[in-house]
Amino acid sequence: RAEMARAVLEGVALNLRLILAAFRAQQAPIQALRAIGGGTRSPLWRQILADVLNLPLLRPRLLAEATSLGAAMAGGVGAGLFSSYSAAASLVSVEPGEEPHPERARRYDDLYALFSRTYEALVPVYAGLAHVSDA
């Protein structure tokens, strides 16, 4: 049971790494991530994320209010109260979190290469599944 739960966490983290790769392909200079949400209460989940993404995780001090603050910032930018989302940096202090372990990060690099090739090979299958579910 524990191995299945870990496999699910690793699978989600590998999918998040696909998203990270897309951001980096657009030249996004991502050097750390802020982790929010209920799952971030798990030290194991945070460490898996740090290792799979090979990035340090930072935790906002106001963890419980992070999503509400994000929504307020989006509304504030949309209403013209804030000139950009960078204004959030002055409102949120972060604490250091998990650092990637080099040996595990290398292992996940190998797994990610296989994972991404598998994902790309299944793209036609995803389209077929979408077609079947529309019927």
Side-chain angles (χ1 to χ4, degrees):
R1 184 174 174 173
E3 290 171 351
M4 183 62 82
R6 184 178 183 101
V8 168
L9 294 175
E10 290 173 330
V12 171
L14 288 164
N15 266 299
L16 290 171
R17 185 161 166 179
L18 286 172
I19 296 168
L20 178 63
F23 277 109
R24 286 186 166 154
Q26 298 299 315
Q27 314 309 311
I30 300 170
Q31 298 176 359
L33 291 177
R34 286 173 173 80
I36 63 169
T40 60
R41 284 180 265 184
S42 166
L44 174 64
W45 174 232
R46 293 190 314 263
Q47 191 61 58
I48 288 172
L49 286 171
D51 292 339
V52 170
L53 302 174
N54 199 13
L55 286 172
L57 289 188
L58 306 172
R59 289 184 283 164
R61 259 204 195 130
L62 303 174
L63 189 58
E65 297 85 2
T67 53
S68 299
L69 180 59
M73 282 300 302
V77 170
L81 297 172
F82 301 108
S83 61
S84 72
Y85 291 103
S86 62
S90 65
L91 300 174
V92 179
S93 60
V94 294
E95 298 176 350
E98 283 62 32
E99 291 286 331
H101 290 123
E103 185 177 315
R104 287 193 296 242
R106 280 191 297 278
R107 190 180 113 233
Y108 283 122
D109 283 346
D110 294 340
L111 286 171
Y112 176 72
L114 180 60
F115 181 87
S116 61
R117 286 196 316 268
T118 303
Y119 179 87
E120 289 300 321
L122 289 172
V123 167
V125 174
Y126 305 144
L129 288 171
H131 177 69
V132 169
S133 66
D134 290 340

